[in-house]
Amino acid sequence: MQKICVIGGSRYFGKLLVKRLQAAGHQVTVINRGSTPSPAGVEHLVVDRNDEAALTAALDSRTFDVVVDQVCYTPVQAAIAARAFAGRTRRYVMTSTMEVYDPATAALPAVPAGTPVPEELVDPATWPVAMDLPWHDDAYLEAHYAEGKRQAEAVFTRAGGFEFASVRSAHVVGGGAQEFTGRLAHYAERIADGGAITVHTKALPTVFIHYEELADLLLWATTADFTGPVNACSDGLLDVYGLAAIIATQAGREPVYRTVPAGEEASPFSFDRHYAMSNARARELGFSFSRTTDWLPGTVAEALTTEPSPTT
């Protein structure tokens, strides 16, 4: 049994992770702002992680074997957490994103289309950090989501005081009504209703992960001993046309496309630039991934029976 703290953990794969940790026999503490009650048997600390004094006071004399941070989006948040948990935990795992590799958001080395992107493309040990940017502004943060994650990883990597690992997640889908992005539901609704989806003429492939698989990987990461970033994606690249074909088969309809050239806005999951990840490092470390095409049809069927999302 380990003492594990989850920051966030109130919805989607974070909520499932808490249940997985409990089932594995760990002693779990959840830290969030209290919008959702925690399951029975879980210690719940209601505090704003952005308030360093309040966070430190809430932690009191508690120590943990591992902290899993589900909701760190900026270097400022990372710096607060690094100070608050210094000497309180031996390991810190941050949920990051494949968006750190998006070449539209940073000057990154070019990767040939079709070549899965490895972790070393973005090295948090050398990534520059700018704490004085307007990270507290919601509009700025939304527009600079990928950079916020890159810099947060960089702060934790250099903090010291604990082992640090980041899990760079692919596009997370599954869970029906729980899927808060609504992107898969957007496609299911459009194709089932015969509406057109906007795609790039030469759409490039991307990678996905089921929310249950991501929860399992995060559970694995709490007991593993690796440090640094690890990519989390199911096996197999898939472009928007392949995704639409799977949905169309489940819906019994033919997909209707409206194509746009590279550089113009399209529907979610249509990409005109390459940054699909490689999961080779996680595999070498011992995690076994499923194939996207094995679980995606069932996930699509679930989405087709779920109340549609307002995402457009």
Side-chain angles (χ1 to χ4, degrees), residues 272-292:
D272 58 357
R273 55 203 184 276
H274 171 67
Y275 58 107
M277 300 186 299
S278 164
N279 63 16
R281 184 178 188 224
R283 282 190 166 281
E284 291 168 0
L285 289 166
F287 190 84
S288 297
F289 290 96
S290 65
R291 288 196 62 80
T292 299

Side-chain angles (χ1 to χ4, degrees), residues 111-251:
V111 177
T115 302
V117 176
E119 287 86 353
E120 54 264 30
L121 192 73
V122 174
D123 181 2
T126 60
W127 197 264
V129 173
M131 304 291 284
D132 57 348
L133 294 175
W135 295 115
H136 296 292
D137 181 275
D138 289 342
Y140 181 87
L141 180 56
E142 182 178 0
H144 297 83
Y145 171 73
E147 183 61 16
K149 286 289 192 179
R150 284 187 286 258
Q151 293 195 26
E153 286 190 40
V155 169
F156 280 125
T157 299
R158 299 166 197 174
F162 44 66
E163 298 174 357
F164 174 67
S166 59
V167 174
R168 294 172 175 170
S169 172
H171 303 294
V172 188
V173 294
Q178 296 185 61
E179 187 184 1
F180 56 82
T181 68
R183 291 175 179 177
L184 187 62
H186 161 78
Y187 278 92
E189 178 188 1
R190 286 292 182 91
I191 292 174
D193 292 345
I197 54 175
T198 306
V199 297
H200 296 103
T201 305
K202 295 182 178 180
L204 295 173
T206 189
V207 284
F208 297 88
I209 190 166
H210 192 274
Y211 84 111
E212 291 184 359
E213 187 164 39
L214 181 55
D216 289 339
L217 189 144
L218 288 166
L219 174 63
W220 165 77
T222 64
T223 57
D225 59 2
F226 72 90
T227 58
V230 67
N231 293 336
C233 58
S234 299
D235 290 337
L237 304 181
L238 189 69
D239 65 19
V240 67
Y241 294 102
L243 173 65
I246 291 172
I247 296 172
T249 297
Q250 294 293 315

